[in-house]
Amino acid sequence: MAQYPSYSTLSPPKSQPMASLRGSAATVRLLHSASRVRLSLSSASSSLSISSSSSYSPSSLKCLQFSPLAPHIFKDQRSSMSTVAAASDPAQLKSAREDIKELLKSKSCHPILVRLGWHDAGTYNKNIEEWPRRGGANGSLRFDIELKHAANAGLVNALKLIQPIKDKYSGVTYADLFQLASATAIEEAGGPKIPMKYGRVDVSAPEECPEEGRLPAAGPPKPADHLREVFYRMGLNDKEIVALSGAHTLGRSRPERSGWGKPETKYTKNGPGAPGGQSWTAEWLKFDNSYFKDIKQRKDDDLLVLPTDAALFEDPSFKEYAEKYAEDQEAFFKDYAEAHAKLSNLGAKFDPKEGIVLDGVAGEKFMAAKYSSGKD
């Protein structure tokens, strides 16, 4: 999870993805999916709910649209009482994916979108049950307080790139959009199809962001130990650590952000995107197993090798998988796809509990609901 490219110095989007009821102790929630709409108005003394367990009609949504509550539900962004979109709409997810593909073609922003999804999910702590305190893929990275964490330097640019798509598809949560963008970027760069599930619930306030320090560092004193400390906390194993490290086949490290890498190399001086930085591979917008080959050979001084990269061929357990992936791209793709899907679900609270699958693509072999506490 080292530093990836940016495209300009930008400020975080001013609009907050929250809506509210003014002057009321009540909280309004709009929860929707392909099969369910539920509107609930609750307070300490009373509650009102309108629900359908099977389907909704366009007319019912039209009535909601013109309800006196609608302007507060969808527009007001200033009260502390907020809505939570509890499930993404499958049709909007598919449309958003097509827009992400166009964004990737026009901006060559594959690496930074991968990093966006990883860093939202990578704060997960398996030892904490409570959501959202446990961290993970919950959309918290959209808030300024978390964007300012040192490990997230430059990710404000990724949020700026993706925000117009979020504005267009209000039925997609930030948590889902970040993971959708990350998986789509891998696939569009030539990588494997990721068996993703969607339906992640967003946190609603910056107070719910995780504390700083949960993401891996590039140059710790004991790289292998550090990787295990961070990734074991997420519930990942050595094979998954090495497979996920292979995503460094994409992108560049910028010294002005991370303190690592050269200002530019023969591979990065002309872009695409903003020029500069040092890449791990010569073709740093192509997803393949060249990362493992290049680290093993170390024949090109213009290619980056961080201490955590070198550890993959120095630690005996890591080396077993790194050697395998350097020789067998198919094995790498298989293990990477499984590890990426698992990472994308860490800490998430899903609605529906089993998640939403697009295109009939089989999901991971364990249920996404595994990451949801029974209390959620």
Side-chain angles (χ1 to χ4, degrees), residues 48-365:
L48 169 67
S49 65
I50 305 170
S51 64
S52 170
S53 60
S54 57
S55 62
Y56 60 85
S57 65
S59 61
S60 65
L61 289 180
K62 188 174 182 180
C63 290
L64 176 60
Q65 179 183 357
F66 294 102
S67 163
L69 290 177
H72 300 292
I73 296 172
F74 297 109
K75 298 296 184 183
D76 186 358
Q77 300 177 356
R78 285 165 286 194
S79 170
S80 61
M81 306 305 292
S82 62
T83 60
V84 179
S88 293
D89 178 79
Q92 290 197 30
L93 280 164
K94 290 181 180 180
S95 296
R97 181 172 59 190
E98 295 308 307
D99 285 13
I100 289 168
K101 290 178 181 179
E102 292 303 313
L103 177 66
L104 292 166
K105 290 177 183 176
S106 64
K107 298 293 186 181
S108 300
C109 55
H110 305 65
I112 203 169
L113 294 188
V114 172
R115 185 169 165 240
L116 180 68
W118 277 37
H119 282 215
D120 195 47
T123 59
Y124 176 60
N125 187 337
K126 68 177 183 180
N127 300 311
I128 301 175
E129 181 181 5
E130 179 188 355
W131 184 92
R133 199 167 64 87
R134 63 193 182 215
N138 57 30
S140 64
L141 190 48
R142 73 191 190 271
F143 291 112
D144 186 60
I145 188 172
E146 189 170 345
L147 283 169
K148 288 182 177 178
H149 291 178
N152 294 327
L155 282 179
V156 62
N157 298 319
L159 185 60
K160 185 67 174 180
L161 286 167
I162 211 77
Q163 186 64 45
I165 298 176
K166 179 66 177 77
D167 293 340
K168 184 176 179 181
Y169 301 106
S170 61
V172 176
T173 62
Y174 277 93
D176 271 350
L177 186 62
F178 293 168
Q179 300 309 321
L180 176 66
S182 182
T184 303
I186 292 291
E187 294 167 7
E188 291 297 295
K193 181 73 176 177
I194 312 296
M196 298 290 290
K197 290 188 178 184
Y198 299 96
R200 297 167 187 80
V201 177
D202 278 339
V203 298
S204 58
E207 293 75 21
E208 296 174 310
C209 291
E211 73 279 3
E212 188 166 6
R214 294 194 186 186
L215 295 170
K222 297 180 179 180
D225 290 347
H226 175 72
L227 288 173
R228 288 194 173 94
E229 178 184 358
V230 172
F231 285 93
Y232 282 12
R233 187 207 68 223
M234 300 183 208
L236 301 173
N237 59 33
D238 285 2
K239 181 176 77 170
E240 291 160 340
I241 291 171
V242 179
L244 289 170
S245 296
H248 278 156
T249 193
L250 298 178
R252 302 166 283 179
S253 179
R254 294 184 176 275
E256 67 272 20
R257 294 184 189 161
S258 66
W260 294 92
K262 298 178 179 180
E264 69 174 27
T265 70
K266 60 179 176 286
Y267 302 117
T268 66
K269 64 181 180 180
N270 296 317
Q278 186 176 14
S279 59
W280 286 264
T281 62
E283 295 184 86
W284 49 269
L285 288 177
K286 178 182 179 182
F287 194 95
D288 56 20
N289 67 337
S290 60
Y291 165 80
F292 297 104
K293 293 179 178 179
D294 291 336
I295 292 176
K296 182 179 180 179
Q297 296 172 356
R298 297 201 198 187
K299 292 181 177 179
D300 192 335
D301 289 340
D302 268 351
L303 296 180
L304 181 63
V305 179
L306 297 171
T308 46
D309 299 319
L312 302 184
F313 282 92
E314 294 169 352
D315 179 88
S317 178
F318 289 161
K319 184 177 181 180
E320 175 186 350
Y321 300 107
E323 292 277 7
K324 177 181 179 182
Y325 298 152
E327 298 298 324
D328 189 342
Q329 180 168 286
E330 185 177 348
F332 166 53
F333 274 26
K334 177 182 180 296
D335 291 348
Y336 179 84
E338 292 176 358
H340 185 123
K342 184 174 180 179
L343 175 69
S344 76
N345 289 345
L346 295 179
K349 180 169 70 172
F350 285 84
D351 187 352
K353 290 271 186 182
E354 68 275 11
I356 299 166
V357 178
L358 304 181
D359 306 324
V361 177
E364 51 188 327
K365 55 189 175 184

Side-chain angles (χ1 to χ4, degrees), residues 27-45:
T27 302
V28 173
R29 284 191 177 185
L30 176 66
L31 302 99
H32 65 283
S33 67
S35 61
R36 169 175 53 193
V37 171
R38 180 167 75 253
L39 174 65
S40 65
L41 175 62
S42 62
S43 68
S45 59

